[in-house]
Amino acid sequence: MAPLLAVSGLDVWFQADGRDIAAARGVDMTVERGEIVGLIGESGSGKTQTMMAAIGMLPENGRATGSVRFDGEEILGLSEAALNRLRGAKITMIFQEPMSALDPLFSVGAQIMAPLIVHGRLSRAAARRRALELLDLVGVDRAERRFNSAPHQLSGGQRQRVMIAMAVANNPSLLIADEPTTALDVTLQAQILDLLRDLQRRLGMAIVFITHDFAVLKRFADRLYVMEAGKIVEEGRIADVMERPRSAATQALIEATPPGAKAPPPTDAPILLEARDLSVDFPGSGSWFGRRLFRAVDAVSLDLKRGQTLGIVGESGSGKSTLARALLRLSPHRGIVRFDGRDLGGLDRAALRALRRDMQLVLQDPFGSLSPRLTIGAIVAEGLLIHEPEKGATERRREAARALAEVGLDPGLLDRTPHELSGGQRQRVALARAMILRPRLLVLDEPTSALDRTAQKEVLALLRALQDAHDLSYLFISHDLAVIRAMADEILVMKDGRIVERGPAAQIFSAPREAYTKRLLASAHILAREAGESAARSGAAGG
Amino acid sequence: MPRYLAQRILASLATLFVVVTLAFFLIRVAPGGPFNLERPLDPAIMGSLRRLYHLDEPLWRQYLRYLAGLAQGDFGPSFAWRDFSVGELLAHAFPISAGLGAAALAFASLVGVAAGIIAALRHRAAADQTIVVASTLGLTIPTFVLAPLLQLVFGLTLHWLPIGGWAEGGVARFILPVATLAAPAAAAIARLTRAAMIEALAAHPIRTLRAYGLPRRIILSHALRAALAPVVSYLGPTAAALMTGSVVVETIFGIPGLGRAFVDGALNRDYTLVMGATVVVASLVILFNIIVDVAYALLDPRVRP
């Protein structure tokens, strides 16, 4: 019998700015009936796009060539109508963000019913009964009551359960799970994985599990494929691969927490922010001959492209934050700063204020930067009062809810105050406050330093997702090189207000020149090792 | 929801009270008065007129007198239109404006939403670009240019429609004023719908529907519901503005509506007429805002009180 899914020689292309960019090249993979197969790789390695291409879900600018056979039948290039008979019936999918994957405007019951009515040809009454059974099956308690709830009234874990109910509604033979647990905390992660495995056994379906996290896959999958830069670089039984990884990419995935390097922006991306000979002086201690100046930033020049992340590292007091403030014209400085080609020094207050919405600042201590007297909704929507004063209260609230959802927070938090939230949640609120204005540059000043490793990892994943979605440029300041390695394309190393070394992130990490950089790297390695251990511990606890 | 509505209605009464109070004193701050004509009146006649309309009383007493009347639904006598009460004038003018405005609103909503959906579904294709250009024109051509143009083409050249007037002419006399009123609103609605639909169609919930092989009909219903929110919030103030009459349109087409009554009243310092028109306009603005908030909550469970 033919395998359930056989992908061979699959190429996926995207057209952008008149050029073709390959997202996947020559992918071969098979999935047998009832088998759980992991598809693992860094974000941007093409794993999601491969599966989307296989089921005809590429966006308009994407196309795929090669062969995808489902149950022995070629499905690549099938008409939308023919694909629609498979999707939602034989092949279903669950997504990373259950909040945004479900429609916030429709009750969860209605959303589970739709595929039952369309594919299962059930009457509304029968579909409703079946949907209630399904809610029960996936462990949503008080299904009758939850049925009419809107997604925002459910917790993150419950939302993912609803999504799973929708996925198994028509007894599919293949479930594609795209990072279904990445947005959840460790306990929920374990519960959802158990549920998926339980359902897989009961229903006999196959699962393709897309993830970047070996810890998740280890307890779950039979076999796995490792993707890097659009190609399958390794495949095999999970225990064998983990014991004897053959490729560097696999090795990095097994070790890496937080996950490795990001994909660089295109080389011809326009420059968004540039600085030339930027210096900042502070009045220092007095002396007999008048006040001496303390030079916090000394003749720094830099370029930041669109979609690029520039990491600035250095110890406390090396001038990183002062540099950031000067770049945003929040402190007096000498030298030239251009944003999007406009010289910030030449702008009056009004022009500068209009530009400010494009460049947002997110600080280390989310508690200190959120007013304790305002509700989350008021904090997030505040920028709109200044930059889009024509919007009414209802609209601001709606946008705030959307901004919260975008950073992975429950919009139900709108009426809470900051002290009711965890550190990770507060940092997400700070991000939502910046993102609501749809900025082009985020200056992130130690955005994860006050967070524990788990929350840190989540916030970094979120920052990446936001960057991908909105083509944001980041100026990312941190003393933590593990974090910088996960985020930055290029790195500036600062010491005593000067840039002592600069270059592509990979180069700085593999071949640091300066003794100072080497010392910073050494401390980063210690942290990375601790992170690896804590990830292993949480994996064991979850299993 | 009922509790929320009750709160909103109580709050509206307070708002209305503030509006009435402000309007009452502001119109009296304006120089001149209802009986200041180019040729001064005989002081004796002036005195008896002022006594008749209680203008000789202290301001606070006039104010209380007005509030007491208003509470009983009495807008008082018109100063400029002797023998008519403001209530009678409004009862004549408001239905005309409201009818035209409602027709324009319905027309603009239908055309605007339909055009917006078509443009979004044909994103970047010829149909989309045509609609974008047309809606830009609709927004940028001022009413006082559009109205004479329509009169010139459909009235004077083609002789299809009357160029104005109200006393006679059947349904035909409504068409040009309604079209003039509706054009900018339809254009704005089309642009809002288009932008919101494009955003909604690209959003994750729609991806889910596609991944579940659901038919286009269902996908569109989800996208449209998401897209309607900004349209609905635009419709609130627009409905109030259209239904309370446009001075320009009513003047150009010779329509005896509320817009003209308002401006005539202000120019004549017809205090009570201005007050009456203000109360009607303010009430409508408040009413439509409540309707919008309720509609919003029906559309989006996240903002339900």
Side-chain angles (χ1 to χ4, degrees):
Chain A
M1 196 153 64
L4 181 67
L5 182 75
V7 177
S8 55
L10 183 72
D11 286 356
V12 181
W13 300 90
F14 285 96
Q15 198 160 45
D17 303 328
R19 289 182 311 160
D20 276 343
I21 298 161
R25 300 295 302 274
V27 172
D28 297 317
M29 64 184 288
T30 55
V31 180
E32 299 293 339
R33 285 171 181 72
E35 187 188 28
I36 301 184
V37 174
L39 182 54
I40 191 167
E42 295 289 1
S43 49
S45 61
K47 50 196 195 304
T48 299
Q49 295 311 337
T50 298
M51 293 319 293
M52 292 300 241
I55 61 168
M57 285 280 296
L58 286 178
E60 270 175 29
N61 63 339
R63 66 193 160 80
T65 56
S67 162
V68 179
R69 288 179 167 272
F70 180 74
D71 222 353
E73 222 178 296
E74 180 64 44
I75 62 168
L76 195 68
L78 277 188
S79 71
E80 197 73 7
L83 283 168
N84 277 351
R85 280 193 287 278
L86 287 176
R87 296 195 296 232
K90 295 265 177 56
I91 305 175
T92 56
M93 192 158 180
I94 58 178
F95 302 95
Q96 178 173 353
E97 324 82 4
M99 183 63 212
S100 64
L102 295 170
D103 193 325
L105 307 182
F106 288 76
S107 76
V108 297
Q111 298 190 57
I112 300 174
M113 278 166 65
L116 286 167
I117 294 170
V118 170
H119 298 293
R121 309 215 168 271
L122 297 185
S123 68
R124 288 194 68 80
R128 191 188 148 86
R129 276 197 302 279
R130 176 88 177 111
L132 284 170
E133 282 170 25
L134 285 164
L135 281 175
D136 216 37
L137 178 72
V138 298
V140 172
D141 57 340
R142 289 171 298 165
E144 193 75 49
R145 267 185 60 193
R146 297 291 180 209
F147 190 84
N148 291 318
S149 299
H152 78 272
Q153 293 168 308
L154 272 52
S155 69
Q158 281 176 323
R159 283 195 289 259
Q160 198 57 291
R161 285 173 196 270
V162 167
M163 196 69 233
I164 292 171
M166 202 170 150
V168 301
N170 290 312
N171 286 329
S173 38
L174 175 65
L175 170 67
I176 299 165
D178 188 0
E179 304 255 10
T181 58
T182 307
L184 304 175
D185 70 40
V186 184
T187 330
L188 284 175
Q189 211 171 58
Q191 287 174 10
I192 293 291
L193 290 177
D194 287 345
L195 171 65
L196 277 175
R197 192 161 37 193
D198 180 45
L199 288 172
Q200 180 261 338
R201 278 185 198 136
R202 279 209 240 176
L203 306 173
M205 63 185 174
I207 297 180
V208 173
F209 197 96
I210 302 173
T211 183
H212 65 268
D213 188 350
F214 256 101
V216 167
L217 219 48
K218 196 165 59 181
R219 313 178 6 247
F220 193 68
D222 306 315
R223 283 191 307 128
L224 73 114
Y225 291 88
V226 181
M227 268 191 105
E228 189 198 17
K231 295 197 172 113
I232 302 279
V233 293
E234 190 156 359
E235 62 169 294
R237 295 192 53 79
I238 185 139
D240 300 342
V241 172
M242 287 199 74
E243 225 164 90
R244 288 179 297 278
R246 289 194 305 272
S247 80
T250 315
Q251 184 70 45
L253 282 165
I254 292 172
E255 286 175 1
T257 343
K262 88 180 253 293
T267 46
D268 58 355
I271 288 177
L272 186 67
L273 179 76
E274 58 175 316
R276 293 289 172 268
D277 293 327
L278 196 66
S279 298
V280 180
D281 293 325
F282 288 136
S285 53
S287 78
W288 284 103
F289 307 102
R291 298 184 76 83
R292 256 211 320 265
L293 290 176
F294 166 68
R295 179 148 289 188
V297 175
D298 194 0
V300 168
S301 298
L302 58 86
D303 290 329
L304 175 60
K305 291 177 183 170
R306 202 165 102 196
Q308 191 186 33
T309 301
L310 195 59
I312 300 181
V313 297
E315 290 170 331
S316 307
S318 57
K320 307 186 297 281
S321 298
T322 312
L323 171 63
R325 266 154 236 273
L327 286 170
L328 295 177
R329 240 190 89 176
L330 291 172
S331 67
H333 57 81
R334 287 182 290 119
I336 295 169
V337 180
R338 273 192 284 270
F339 183 81
D340 204 13
R342 296 170 73 183
D343 185 353
L344 292 190
L347 296 178
D348 58 17
R349 290 174 71 92
L352 193 62
R353 187 182 302 152
L355 263 187
R356 288 236 183 266
R357 72 173 301 164
D358 285 337
M359 30 192 204
Q360 293 289 315
L361 177 67
V362 176
L363 296 167
Q364 170 178 0
D365 177 8
F367 207 31
S369 59
L370 302 180
S371 167
R373 277 171 294 277
L374 293 179
T375 63
I376 302 300
I379 290 169
V380 172
E382 198 168 21
L384 290 179
L385 284 175
I386 294 156
H387 292 289
E388 294 176 38
E390 72 281 2
K391 291 201 165 146
T394 330
E395 199 169 344
R396 283 202 307 274
R397 190 174 166 84
R398 206 177 97 86
E399 291 217 16
R402 197 156 54 188
L404 285 184
E406 175 157 42
V407 300
L409 284 179
D410 186 346
L413 297 176
L414 278 178
D415 298 314
R416 305 282 191 78
T417 46
H419 74 269
E420 297 175 68
L421 306 186
S422 72
Q425 285 177 316
R426 285 198 294 261
Q427 196 57 284
R428 284 168 193 261
V429 169
L431 268 172
R433 169 170 66 178
M435 290 306 298
I436 199 170
L437 295 170
R438 297 179 298 278
R440 297 158 70 195
L441 166 69
L442 280 189
V443 174
L444 303 153
D445 191 354
E446 304 269 9
T448 60
S449 304
L451 306 177
D452 65 47
R453 294 309 280 203
T454 319
Q456 181 175 88
K457 196 177 149 189
E458 286 171 8
V459 168
L460 292 180
L462 170 65
L463 283 170
R464 265 211 196 158
L466 291 174
Q467 184 167 41
D468 285 349
H470 302 284
D471 211 10
L472 288 170
S473 304
Y474 287 159
L475 196 72
F476 199 111
I477 297 172
S478 182
H479 65 269
D480 181 348
L481 277 176
V483 168
I484 289 285
R485 177 166 69 173
M487 297 300 293
D489 302 300
E490 295 214 4
I491 293 176
L492 305 180
V493 183
M494 275 187 91
K495 183 173 189 289
D496 299 334
R498 292 166 177 275
I499 292 179
V500 294
E501 184 164 1
R502 65 167 87 205
Q507 181 194 316
I508 299 273
F509 278 97
S510 57
R513 288 193 321 268
E514 298 291 319
Y516 180 71
T517 314
K518 285 174 186 157
R519 208 174 73 225
L520 284 174
L521 275 172
S523 59
H525 283 313
I526 296 167
L527 283 174
R529 204 158 56 235
E530 283 171 1
E533 281 161 14
S534 79
R537 268 200 307 280
S538 65
Chain B
M1 189 62 101
R3 189 186 149 84
Y4 168 74
L5 264 185
Q7 281 174 355
R8 285 297 306 264
I9 290 167
L10 275 179
S12 323
L13 289 178
T15 311
L16 199 57
F17 171 74
V18 173
V19 170
V20 166
T21 307
L22 278 176
F24 183 90
F25 291 104
L26 281 177
I27 182 80
R28 279 163 176 78
V29 170
F35 309 115
N36 294 39
L37 305 177
E38 279 173 39
R39 214 151 34 111
L41 285 174
D42 176 17
I45 298 176
M46 186 66 143
S48 60
L49 271 174
R50 289 176 62 85
R51 253 194 314 286
L52 178 64
Y53 291 112
H54 304 290
L55 293 177
D56 55 338
E57 291 180 357
L59 209 51
W60 62 269
R61 183 167 290 181
Q62 291 182 43
Y63 173 65
L64 290 182
R65 186 186 292 282
Y66 185 78
L67 282 187
L70 197 60
Q72 297 162 35
D74 180 6
F75 290 104
S78 167
F79 294 165
W81 301 79
R82 317 282 157 77
D83 307 329
F84 286 98
S85 76
V86 168
E88 286 163 346
L89 290 175
L90 292 179
H92 177 70
F94 178 58
I96 294 175
S97 292
L100 283 178
L105 187 70
F107 180 70
S109 309
L110 276 177
V111 172
V113 170
I117 293 174
I118 292 169
L121 293 182
R122 301 265 177 280
H123 189 26
R124 298 208 180 98
D128 179 27
Q129 282 162 0
T130 312
I131 287 168
V132 168
V133 170
S135 60
T136 309
L137 285 177
L139 271 180
T140 47
I141 297 180
T143 313
F144 56 80
V145 174
L146 181 62
L149 267 179
L150 290 176
Q151 287 173 323
L152 189 66
V153 174
F154 294 100
L156 297 178
T157 311
L158 295 171
H159 298 291
W160 290 354
L161 296 166
I163 58 164
W166 194 250
E168 55 201 33
V171 179
R173 71 197 153 138
F174 297 109
I175 294 179
L176 289 186
V178 167
T180 311
L181 280 172
I189 292 170
R191 294 175 73 89
L192 282 171
T193 309
R194 174 182 177 273
M197 274 295 272
I198 288 172
E199 193 187 329
L201 283 170
H204 283 167
I206 298 298
R207 182 188 65 182
T208 307
L209 300 179
R210 289 190 55 219
Y212 278 77
L214 298 179
R216 202 173 159 80
R217 171 176 53 83
I218 294 183
I219 292 179
L220 279 187
S221 73
H222 278 252
L224 188 59
R225 182 159 171 180
L228 278 184
V231 178
V232 164
S233 35
Y234 169 80
L235 282 182
T238 308
L242 286 176
M243 293 183 63
T244 51
S246 147
V247 187
V248 176
V249 171
E250 288 176 4
T251 307
I252 292 178
F253 290 103
I255 299 165
L258 191 61
R260 275 173 84 190
F262 206 162
V263 171
D264 287 349
L267 292 178
N268 293 333
R269 301 287 184 273
D270 191 344
Y271 294 159
T272 41
L273 182 56
V274 170
M275 290 300 300
T278 304
V279 170
V280 171
V281 172
S283 305
L284 274 180
V285 170
I286 291 169
L287 174 69
F288 280 109
N289 270 322
I290 294 179
I291 292 176
V292 162
D293 284 352
V294 170
Y296 223 111
L298 290 178
L299 275 175
D300 189 343
R302 286 169 298 181
V303 296
R304 260 168 222 172

